[in-house]
Amino acid sequence: MMENLKLPPLAKASGIVRLPGSKSISNRMLLLAALAEGRTEIRDLLDSDDTRVMLTALAKVGVGVTAIGCNAYAIEGCCGQFPMREADLFMGNAGTAIRPLTAALALSGGHYRLSGVARMHERPIGDLIDGLRQIGADIRYAGNEGFPPLEIHPAHVELSDPIRLRGDVSSQFLTALLMALPLTGQRVVIEMSTELISKPYVEITLNLMARFGVAVEREGWERFVIEGGQRYHSPGVLHVEGDASAASYFLAAGAIGGGPVRVEGVGWASIQGDVKFADALAAMGARIEWGDNHIEARGPASGRLKAFDLDLNYIPDAAMTLAVAALFSDGRCVLRNIASWRVKETDRIAAMATELRKFGATVEEGRDYLTVSLPPSSVLCPPSSGIDTYDDHRMAMCFSLAALGGVAVTINDPACVNKTFPGYFDAFAEIVAPVIAIDGPSASGKGTVAERVATAFGYHYLDSGSLYRLTALAGLRAGKALDDETGLAAVATSLPARFSGGRIHLDEADVTDAIRTEEISVGASKVAALPAVRAALLDRQRAYRRFPGLVADGRDMASVVFPGAVTKVFLTASAEARAERRYKQLIAKGMPANMHALLQDLQERDARDAQRSVAPLRQCDDAELVDTTEMDIEAAVAAVMAIAKRQGL
Ligand code: DC
């Protein structure tokens, strides 16, 4: 496991991110499906430590859990009668799993023991246990009073009086009771004895319970009533929305790093309160656009983001992202009403204050608030040590944003993101890792130059032309006609290609030379003119954008694939110079060559490439021209590197 991750200084953020499933929705749906009558298929489930904890626990108490595809599970509901009447359950550090499961198990008449990692044993659960004991549940503390580990024993529960529950430590206690108590079949009344925090999370609970057929009457946020005789019924197939808390990092990156950054998987109709994070960004001056299933963020039209003073009780998790966004604002930011941070994966108020100070920020920490201001220079100080993450996924994700302040940031224990978002740093790289896009006509030497520039910077290298060549080769081998757009797009989508050590493999066969033949060159130029093939290769090409950076060569690198590239170069040379280079290459390889024919061929190809309707050969407005007619390779490489360095790379 990597001990730390070094993020290079970053300047810009732009791109598209498909969000993983929401943690809050995933774990609630899993439990409700288990408590329901019938079989539920849950699709787009989050694949992470916390959901694995829930899946494993359900399987251990005898619930039928079957993987039915990528991030999809079938759950055989057991109506709250867990087949295994005794189990020892390890809940990791998953609050969204231990709380509701404790409530459901306490009503199920079995013997269970629930424990977790050391930090879980420091996270309070007493209010929930008090609530459950009021109705007769038999739950004992196996360690410290008020905290896991817990022992659950069979008990007779009776709901005559309203349950009085505190709401000011965690809203998950209310969520746990609401989800479990319909199992009693009795009328349930819950009254809050203190103000309820994090209300939008309770709204997610009520919304999902309704989808499983149980209605809750809510009187303000003080009293909740579930009429007796209601049961959970499987709604059949359910899809998990994208994770709105995870969206906050990318939207903030768009606001800080110019954008546009688009997140897909949540939109205006989302049931997650954390989408309101986008409103907080808008209040800072970011430009936000909402769609049915996406949100997009750009930086302010002019100037820096504005400082804020906000009550953030309604978005406790996404609010952490604002604490780091504060580093990019024009003044003193105040985050209010965030006391729940103190009982999360770590004491997030203390952790955030400590780490923000490493960038030179002035931070004031209160019981339930945080203020953040930068020194008058408004420039981030490069931290003298790594950023500690306290086994808290959100600390790691939040502080990745600080690199957009143009400072290198080392994230300690980056694997802590696995709790909710195992692919976080790859997704982040896809919007922020610097890209040098190099385009130009055939035989301009762009491939050689791009590869050498990549080596010099220590960046990854994408030879996009090889993907079109591979598609042509694989298509021909599969018997596809070179104008079969749908068939070739399918080939492109599932291309079994592997690049390693300068060699290219298709399945297990080395095709490095096979894709360079004349037949495949002609085939590649034909398949590259098919829009569906280009679309099919888009995500694959974007996935090459990784830390510390990427040099990408090909037709539409600067215009379509990486429009946010830091450096865009159009590398060209006169047709005569290019024909001569190709001539020398062929002769060197001992192949027959005719200078006149080569020149004519290049001129025809230039004309065809410039005229085609998709991705025509054209210099992007914001690309710099490098004419290599009079240059050798070394000079061309130096010219491109000089441009990139001028742009801060
Ligand atoms: O760069 P190359 O010769 O290996 O590219 C093979 C073909 O694919 C060529 O006809 C150009 C086309 N191509 C493209 O249309 N878009 C890209 N990004 C890369 C190559």
Side-chain angles (χ1 to χ4, degrees):
M1 192 84 40
M2 214 189 328
E3 274 174 19
N4 58 47
L5 174 71
K6 292 185 170 50
L7 299 174
L10 303 171
K12 290 212 237 177
S14 68
I16 299 173
V17 176
R18 214 154 290 146
L19 296 167
S22 150
K23 173 180 75 158
S24 304
I25 296 178
S26 292
N27 269 354
R28 282 170 175 78
M29 274 189 188
L30 286 172
L31 184 62
L32 290 172
L35 302 182
E37 197 174 32
R39 177 180 199 263
T40 307
E41 284 186 24
I42 304 180
R43 304 197 169 271
D44 305 324
L45 194 83
L46 171 66
D47 176 17
S48 74
D49 289 350
D50 280 12
T51 46
R52 237 166 280 136
V53 159
M54 182 62 108
L55 284 164
T56 308
L58 290 177
K60 245 186 145 173
V61 295
V63 175
V65 174
T66 318
I68 52 168
C70 182
N71 300 333
Y73 288 85
I75 309 294
E76 303 293 340
C78 63
C79 307
Q81 297 297 306
F82 298 113
M84 304 303 291
R85 315 301 288 163
E86 212 168 327
D88 207 335
L89 304 172
F90 178 73
M91 310 306 295
N93 197 7
T96 56
I98 194 172
R99 276 90 183 242
L101 207 52
T102 295
L105 293 171
L107 305 179
S108 74
H111 285 90
Y112 303 100
R113 198 184 126 83
L114 293 97
S115 61
V117 298
R119 173 63 187 169
M120 179 63 107
H121 296 173
E122 296 169 1
R123 296 177 67 185
I125 197 163
D127 296 342
L128 172 61
I129 306 306
D130 290 348
L132 287 163
R133 283 176 172 170
Q134 287 170 45
I135 58 170
D138 183 353
I139 306 173
R140 301 169 202 172
Y141 296 111
N144 291 333
E145 196 73 8
F147 300 88
L150 305 170
E151 275 172 18
I152 295 175
H153 298 269
H156 173 72
V157 299
E158 186 60 53
L159 283 113
S160 42
D161 297 324
I163 299 173
R164 303 274 297 160
L165 183 72
R166 288 180 64 116
D168 57 348
V169 173
S170 168
S171 67
Q172 286 179 15
F173 304 148
L174 175 60
T175 280
L177 287 181
L178 287 170
M179 292 210 290
L181 288 172
L183 296 177
T184 64
Q186 302 174 42
R187 182 171 190 267
V188 177
V189 181
I190 302 171
E191 288 175 0
M192 307 313 297
S193 59
T194 57
E195 162 127 22
L196 178 66
I197 60 165
S198 313
K199 298 179 181 76
Y201 283 98
V202 175
E203 288 198 79
I204 296 178
T205 307
L206 300 182
N207 189 307
L208 295 178
M209 287 171 67
R211 287 201 217 168
F212 281 85
V214 171
V216 181
E217 288 158 40
R218 175 168 77 74
E219 294 165 24
W221 292 99
E222 286 90 44
R223 196 161 185 271
F224 300 81
V225 179
I226 306 174
E227 289 304 334
Q230 301 193 70
R231 299 170 71 111
Y232 290 121
H233 297 279
S234 165
V237 180
L238 286 175
H239 287 263
V240 177
E241 276 182 23
D243 193 295
S245 315
S248 71
Y249 311 110
F250 305 110
L251 294 175
I256 296 165
V261 172
R262 174 181 287 224
V263 292
E264 291 181 346
V266 292
W268 61 265
S270 167
I271 64 167
Q272 297 168 77
D274 267 2
V275 290
K276 295 219 168 65
F277 171 81
D279 294 338
L281 275 186
M284 293 179 76
R287 290 169 292 165
I288 305 290
E289 183 214 300
W290 293 81
D292 284 350
N293 196 37
H294 78 259
I295 308 175
E296 191 170 283
R298 294 168 193 259
S302 63
R304 277 176 84 87
L305 289 164
K306 293 199 284 277
F308 60 86
D309 181 338
L310 291 170
D311 180 330
L312 296 167
N313 195 269
Y314 65 105
I315 49 169
D317 284 351
M320 288 178 76
T321 315
L322 283 178
V324 179
L327 294 175
F328 298 87
S329 78
D330 62 2
R332 179 172 176 267
C333 296
V334 190
L335 296 89
R336 297 186 190 277
N337 205 356
I338 52 168
S340 68
W341 282 22
R342 296 220 181 258
V343 295
K344 298 285 179 147
E345 280 79 344
T346 184
D347 176 342
R348 287 177 166 170
I349 294 185
M352 191 50 88
T354 304
E355 302 310 311
L356 285 171
R357 287 185 186 118
K358 292 184 179 170
F359 294 90
T362 305
V363 184
E364 189 191 321
E365 178 193 334
R367 186 188 64 81
D368 66 348
Y369 73 90
L370 199 64
T371 73
V372 184
S373 22
L374 269 194
S377 66
S378 298
V379 184
L380 300 199
C381 304
S384 56
S385 64
I387 300 304
D388 292 319
T389 49
Y390 308 81
D391 203 16
D392 183 347
H393 55 135
R394 299 208 184 281
M395 287 296 287
M397 296 192 274
C398 278
F399 277 94
S400 65
L401 296 170
L404 284 163
V407 292
V409 176
T410 300
I411 305 283
N412 293 336
D413 185 24
C416 66
V417 300
N418 292 348
K419 186 170 199 288
T420 54
F421 197 163
Y424 174 73
F425 287 106
D426 289 340
F428 185 57
E430 282 191 40
I431 60 163
V432 299
V435 176
I436 301 173
I438 302 183
D439 191 9
S442 301
S444 59
K446 60 187 188 315
T448 314
V449 171
E451 207 170 353
R452 292 208 194 176
V453 172
T455 307
F457 278 110
Y459 281 10
H460 302 276
Y461 168 54
L462 167 63
D463 167 12
S464 61
S466 68
L467 293 175
Y468 291 97
R469 290 173 178 273
L470 283 161
T471 303
L473 181 71
L476 286 170
R477 287 186 177 174
K480 308 276 180 216
L482 289 178
D483 59 356
D484 173 3
E485 183 162 358
T486 316
L488 288 165
V491 168
T493 304
S494 56
L495 211 51
R498 191 164 52 80
F499 297 77
S500 69
R503 306 300 294 177
I504 304 176
H505 290 80
L506 193 59
D507 280 322
E508 284 319 303
D510 187 326
V511 294
T512 317
D513 299 322
I515 61 165
R516 300 280 157 200
T517 64
E518 191 53 29
E519 183 200 6
I520 296 303
S521 296
V522 173
S525 97
K526 286 189 180 157
V527 304
L530 303 172
V533 170
R534 301 198 77 84
L537 289 174
L538 203 52
D539 282 351
R540 189 173 195 129
Q541 295 175 91
R542 287 186 174 146
Y544 277 83
R545 190 174 180 185
R546 289 176 173 262
F547 294 123
L550 174 70
V551 181
D553 114 53
R555 191 58 36 88
D556 53 352
M557 294 300 104
S559 55
V560 176
V561 184
F562 303 111
V566 177
T567 300
K568 297 180 179 181
V569 172
F570 192 81
L571 204 71
T572 189
S574 69
E576 289 74 14
R578 288 183 283 133
E580 196 179 319
R581 287 174 197 166
R582 173 109 339 146
Y583 178 82
K584 283 184 183 158
Q585 270 173 1
L586 291 172
I587 297 295
K589 283 189 191 162
M591 291 160 94
N594 175 305
M595 186 62 196
H596 178 71
L598 282 170
L599 179 60
Q600 198 174 357
D601 186 47
L602 271 177
Q603 282 166 332
E604 279 170 13
R605 203 186 301 184
D606 283 356
R608 209 170 46 233
D609 280 359
Q611 277 158 17
R612 74 182 203 202
S613 57
V614 279
L617 175 64
R618 191 185 308 134
Q619 181 183 346
C620 255
D621 289 343
D622 50 353
E624 293 208 30
L625 183 75
V626 175
D627 187 334
T628 66
T629 307
E630 305 293 335
M631 293 181 189
D632 59 11
I633 285 288
E634 281 69 30
V637 170
V640 173
M641 288 184 64
I643 294 172
K645 284 189 177 151
R646 221 183 323 116
Q647 285 155 345
L649 298 185

